[in-house]
Amino acid sequence: MDYSQFLLMRNELSLMCVIVFLFLYDLFAGAKARKAFHPVACLALAAQTAYCLLPSLTPGSVFGGMYQNVPMMGVVKALLSAGTLIVMMMAEPWLKKEGTEHKRGEFYVLTLFTLLGMLFMIGAAHFLLFMIGLELASIPLACLVAFDKYKHHSAEAGAKYILSAMFSSGLMMYGLSFLYGTTGTLYFDDMAAGLTGTPLQILALVFFFAGLGFKISLVPFHLWTADVYEGAPTHVTAYLSVVSKSAAVFTLFVIFIRVFAPMMAFWQDMLAWTVVATITVANLFAIRQRNLKRLFAFSSISQAGYLMLGVIGGDAAGMTSIVYYALVYLVANLAIFGIIAVIEQQTNGKVNLADYNGLYQTNPKLTLLMTLALFSLAGIPPFAGFFSKFFIFRAAFNAGFKLLVFIALLNTIISLYYYLLIVKAMYIQPNMQPLPAFRSDRYTKLSLLLCATGILAFGLLSSVYDWINGFSF
């Protein structure tokens, strides 16, 4: 056996080494060594992320063509690892609490196993490996959602998530069985050669898209999202809203282009209607929310709709715009959830919009960062979110979906309204007893600083988009 083929899987293998190391560290470290558990875990994942960014080896496939590696996939995997690293840094104060301190090792291992499953999903060129990666990502996520099972409806959120994941996976596999029955293969490229657009294959495409639509929280497959986001620990919610969603959208793009290219006209129409429903419904429901975790649950559904604009073009420009949008969305959304987590921990669980009235009076730095992140999500120049929306709108416009882009632009006005509601509460709404001033730990400060730097730098440095565009897909 030629073991050199494992070098093409360096991202997955390096992450697996980190997981095994942290598992053994948690198992055998003494009381003194366990005090350094968090910095060791963050440094190990940071090293793995940097390793993912090294120049890729020659693109190719291994294990009979079940796994593939191309340069763009290395960028996406590094992006997911970086997002996971920021979440882990932000989670330190929560993990030090009395109710979770004894479960710190489980949190790291479960999170990284979820990330490993996403990396397998992205690198899959065979539906068997894709399903293994999908389940490896979904099952530990259910455990993370229910991590605080005695608090804040976390157990209920975990039950809802695992039931939704189980149903969506079953629906997806039912569709894949139709595809296997009509083409006789589970390899992406071979299956594409056997697709002719028969009614059974169209039904299989709908089932597959519906299954993955649950993972991305597209309308009408979004009903679990708000309850799960509200009940899960805030750091897990941040991970769900950014890392999990970005991996699923990228995987959907790859499968649509490599497998369902002969049926492009059909799935483009299906996506167009889904995007309109997702962006519009999510924005309208977000306006009604007063719990910030639920509000940003609907915001993340809306952002998923914008990400799908990059998928609908089905070309290299769409791929580049998806990766750039995911990068910008990552730093902005993690900054917001990081601030929500800080305030929640310091105030014994305050996450309602009214609780943020007058926040600027006592915590001006957090308020400023929250404002920058909100403006970026809304697409206000010169912040990074403006350029990410511009590039993804341009990709869909050049693909011929002009009306769809116009509807998406109108929806940005709605999203601006509910984002500005938060800004109004922090700066304008009077509050005789605003939240007290407090200081964050150094890991949270560093993670928020990274997010703030990304929000500003990715908007001012257009070379980031050009750098991503330089990777082949």
Side-chain angles (χ1 to χ4, degrees), residues 13 67 103 116 185 195 216 231 237 244 264 290 295 397 404 431 449 460:
L13 289 179
Y67 177 90
K103 299 186 290 185
L116 181 64
T185 182
L195 293 180
I216 307 173
T237 301
S244 175
M264 179 177 284
R290 291 300 176 263
L295 187 151
F397 187 89
L404 183 59
N431 191 350
L449 178 62
L460 299 176

Side-chain angles (χ1 to χ4, degrees), residues 216-351:
I216 307 173
S217 302
L218 299 175
V219 174
F221 318 112
H222 68 292
L223 298 177
W224 60 273
T225 310
D227 291 338
V228 171
Y229 279 34
E230 181 184 11
T234 303
H235 301 95
V236 177
T237 301
Y239 186 80
L240 269 172
S241 69
V242 176
V243 180
S244 175
K245 196 178 299 294
S246 300
V249 171
F250 183 83
T251 304
L252 180 66
F253 182 95
V254 171
I255 293 175
F256 271 176
I257 297 305
R258 294 196 59 189
V259 179
F260 295 107
M263 303 167 64
M264 179 177 284
F266 178 82
W267 61 254
Q268 281 183 328
D269 290 340
M270 180 176 65
L271 272 185
W273 288 103
T274 304
V275 167
V276 171
T278 298
I279 297 176
T280 305
V281 171
N283 282 331
L284 292 177
F285 273 80
I287 294 175
R288 303 176 56 191
Q289 306 305 315
R290 291 300 176 263
N291 180 294
L292 286 187
K293 291 175 72 173
R294 294 185 70 88
L295 187 151
F296 283 104
F298 286 105
S299 170
S300 72
I301 295 171
S302 173
Q303 298 294 339
Y306 289 119
L307 276 168
M308 298 306 290
L309 289 173
V311 176
I312 203 168
D315 54 14
M319 166 59 69
T320 305
S321 64
I322 288 173
V323 178
Y324 182 71
Y325 195 102
L327 178 63
V328 172
Y329 177 60
L330 182 146
V331 292
N333 221 44
L334 288 185
I336 289 173
F337 276 108
I339 294 170
I340 291 174
V342 168
I343 294 175
E344 182 183 21
Q345 291 157 14
Q346 296 284 348
T347 60
N348 196 25
K350 291 188 176 181
V351 292

Side-chain angles (χ1 to χ4, degrees), residues 185-203:
T185 182
L186 288 175
Y187 284 95
F188 288 180
D189 295 335
D190 294 342
M191 186 176 286
L195 293 180
T196 57
T198 64
L200 187 60
Q201 290 175 347
I202 291 175
L203 182 62

Side-chain angles (χ1 to χ4, degrees), residues 348-413:
N348 196 25
K350 291 188 176 181
V351 292
N352 289 325
L353 180 60
D355 298 326
Y356 284 63
N357 290 347
L359 182 65
Y360 179 74
Q361 302 173 37
T362 53
N363 294 277
K365 293 180 180 179
L366 286 181
T367 304
L368 178 60
L369 177 55
M370 181 74 124
T371 305
L372 295 179
L374 290 170
F375 283 175
S376 184
L377 287 180
I380 297 176
F383 305 106
F386 169 78
F387 297 98
S388 65
K389 279 189 168 60
F390 170 78
F391 289 129
I392 212 158
F393 286 165
R394 186 181 68 175
F397 187 89
N398 291 339
F401 295 90
K402 299 178 176 61
L403 179 59
L404 183 59
V405 172
F406 177 72
I407 296 173
L409 281 170
L410 291 179
N411 270 277
T412 59
I413 301 173

Side-chain angles (χ1 to χ4, degrees), residues 2-339:
D2 183 11
Y3 290 99
S4 63
Q5 62 184 337
F6 284 101
L7 294 177
L8 284 175
M9 302 181 67
R10 67 179 191 180
N11 299 323
E12 291 81 2
L13 289 179
S14 60
L15 181 59
M16 193 66 221
C17 291
V18 173
I19 293 172
V20 172
F21 169 71
L22 293 180
F23 179 80
L24 295 176
Y25 191 101
D26 182 44
L27 192 62
F28 294 109
K32 185 176 181 180
R34 289 183 65 84
K35 294 180 180 179
F37 199 172
H38 184 73
V40 168
C42 291
L43 286 174
L45 186 56
Q48 192 272 338
T49 304
Y51 184 56
C52 288
L53 286 173
L54 292 176
S56 179
L57 299 173
T58 304
S61 59
V62 294
F63 303 111
M66 293 184 68
Y67 177 90
Q68 65 172 354
N69 179 55
V70 295
M72 183 63 83
M73 290 182 178
V75 175
V76 176
K77 292 174 182 178
L79 171 65
L80 300 181
S81 296
T84 306
L85 174 60
I86 293 175
V87 171
M88 286 175 57
M89 291 170 63
M90 290 179 174
E92 168 65 1
W94 169 60
L95 292 173
K96 289 171 64 176
K97 284 181 169 290
E98 183 179 352
T100 53
E101 187 175 13
H102 65 287
K103 299 186 290 185
R104 180 180 297 191
E106 287 90 335
F107 176 80
Y108 297 139
V109 172
L110 287 172
T111 303
L112 294 182
F113 264 123
T114 299
L115 177 62
L116 181 64
M118 295 175 192
L119 300 192
F120 278 123
M121 284 171 55
I122 292 170
H126 188 280
F127 276 113
L128 178 59
L129 182 59
F130 164 76
M131 288 304 304
I132 291 174
L134 181 68
E135 296 309 309
L136 182 58
S138 298
I139 296 173
L141 260 180
C143 299
L144 289 172
V145 169
F147 208 71
D148 278 341
K149 60 182 179 179
Y150 298 117
K151 299 179 182 178
H152 309 304
H153 309 290
S154 187
E156 178 186 349
K160 288 182 178 178
Y161 182 82
I162 194 64
L163 289 173
S164 298
M166 180 177 63
F167 177 73
S168 62
S169 295
L171 194 63
M172 189 184 304
M173 294 184 71
Y174 189 48
L176 292 179
S177 69
F178 289 162
L179 292 174
Y180 179 72
T182 56
T183 62
T185 182
L186 288 175
Y187 284 95
F188 288 180
D189 295 335
D190 294 342
M191 186 176 286
L195 293 180
T196 57
T198 64
L200 187 60
Q201 290 175 347
I202 291 175
L203 182 62
L205 170 60
V206 171
F207 282 162
F208 174 80
F209 176 68
L212 207 52
F214 274 100
K215 312 297 182 184
I216 307 173
S217 302
L218 299 175
V219 174
F221 318 112
H222 68 292
L223 298 177
W224 60 273
T225 310
D227 291 338
V228 171
Y229 279 34
E230 181 184 11
T234 303
H235 301 95
V236 177
T237 301
Y239 186 80
L240 269 172
S241 69
V242 176
V243 180
S244 175
K245 196 178 299 294
S246 300
V249 171
F250 183 83
T251 304
L252 180 66
F253 182 95
V254 171
I255 293 175
F256 271 176
I257 297 305
R258 294 196 59 189
V259 179
F260 295 107
M263 303 167 64
M264 179 177 284
F266 178 82
W267 61 254
Q268 281 183 328
D269 290 340
M270 180 176 65
L271 272 185
W273 288 103
T274 304
V275 167
V276 171
T278 298
I279 297 176
T280 305
V281 171
N283 282 331
L284 292 177
F285 273 80
I287 294 175
R288 303 176 56 191
Q289 306 305 315
R290 291 300 176 263
N291 180 294
L292 286 187
K293 291 175 72 173
R294 294 185 70 88
L295 187 151
F296 283 104
F298 286 105
S299 170
S300 72
I301 295 171
S302 173
Q303 298 294 339
Y306 289 119
L307 276 168
M308 298 306 290
L309 289 173
V311 176
I312 203 168
D315 54 14
M319 166 59 69
T320 305
S321 64
I322 288 173
V323 178
Y324 182 71
Y325 195 102
L327 178 63
V328 172
Y329 177 60
L330 182 146
V331 292
N333 221 44
L334 288 185
I336 289 173
F337 276 108
I339 294 170

